[in-house]
Amino acid sequence: MDTNRSTLHRLPTRPRLHGLFVVTLATAAGCSKELPPPPYVANPDPRDAHNVTLTLDNAPEDLRPTGAHVQYRIVDTRCMPPVTNFAGVRRERAIHHLDIALRRVDATTYVGSYFSDGLLEKDYYGHGVCRWEVNLVGAFLDTEKTRSFTYFSLAVTPGMRRMKIFADRSIRPLRNDGEKYRASGWSEEQFASRVPEAERSNYFSYSLAIDSSGASLSADASPRHKQ
């Protein structure tokens, strides 16, 4: 994840998952085209559960998560139709998301869960069984005051397991152009090395962690598809 303070990420007018969370495709003619709905279905009997914890520290009182999801990736795309167009672009999505419902447990902590086997492994395209792996888990946050011009996001991979970002409590538009941008921030290493200790109280942090301690999904936290 790029946490460089000078890096800006533009959201479209109608925000959608992007950056690490999106696959951008184009047609052979060079024009974008809406992809058809993927045929992927949730596993009706998942077993491998994982906990997700979102933690805020010294954050603005109205900072809230606006969504969380787990992203799956097809391990071997040979189970998908071969690419035959001139541009070499695959129309079928090789990634898929399921929503994660986060529940607030105290003033600074939200928890949820997902299954690493949350998508059904089956022959979706007639080229063999498509097998899935978790690519990342991500979350988005914003505040009532900043909703129109910025948002906060972070993602963690199964290998990483935890990500923490620091941001200035004085949240201002990065560009006054009416667009919505991802807020800049520091990684833990950057924060420790570049922010003087006397100024650290001016910052807040948000972190995302996953573990495999046998989490279970309640009825209101069942996985939901995200296109």
Side-chain angles (χ1 to χ4, degrees), residues 5 57-60 152 165-172 184-186 191 194-206:
R5 291 174 59 87
D57 185 21
N58 196 36
F152 303 86
I165 301 295
F166 290 84
D168 196 324
R169 287 181 57 85
S170 178
I171 307 169
R172 296 181 297 271
S184 60
W186 302 105
F191 185 75
R194 302 182 187 181
V195 179
E197 189 169 351
E199 299 178 9
R200 293 180 183 176
S201 62
N202 297 326
Y203 290 77
F204 69 94
S205 69
Y206 48 106

Side-chain angles (χ1 to χ4, degrees), residues 100-182:
I100 297 174
L102 294 177
R103 175 173 57 89
R104 190 178 186 183
V105 296
D106 59 39
T108 62
T109 310
Y110 296 80
V111 298
S113 53
Y114 70 92
F115 290 104
S116 63
D117 55 348
L119 287 178
L120 189 64
E121 297 191 339
K122 61 176 289 188
D123 187 348
Y124 288 101
Y125 299 103
H127 295 275
V129 174
C130 288
R131 306 197 182 280
W132 298 94
E133 63 182 2
V134 172
N135 189 28
L136 58 84
V137 175
F140 295 92
L141 310 92
D142 66 20
T143 74
E144 290 292 337
K145 298 176 182 177
T146 64
R147 186 163 295 170
S148 64
F149 64 84
T150 195
Y151 69 100
F152 303 86
S153 70
L154 73 172
V156 61
T157 66
M160 183 189 307
R161 306 193 71 81
R162 179 179 176 272
M163 169 68 76
K164 188 173 187 177
I165 301 295
F166 290 84
D168 196 324
R169 287 181 57 85
S170 178
I171 307 169
R172 296 181 297 271
L174 298 178
R175 295 178 181 174
N176 282 313
D177 59 2
E179 296 289 339
K180 189 171 183 178
Y181 295 91
R182 176 178 178 267

Side-chain angles (χ1 to χ4, degrees), residues 99-103 216-224:
D99 288 329
I100 297 174
L102 294 177
R103 175 173 57 89
S216 60
L217 290 177
S218 61
D220 63 343
S222 300
R224 293 183 295 277

Side-chain angles (χ1 to χ4, degrees), residues 207-226:
S207 63
L208 191 66
I210 57 177
D211 67 66
S212 54
S213 58
S216 60
L217 290 177
S218 61
D220 63 343
S222 300
R224 293 183 295 277
H225 288 268
K226 182 180 288 292

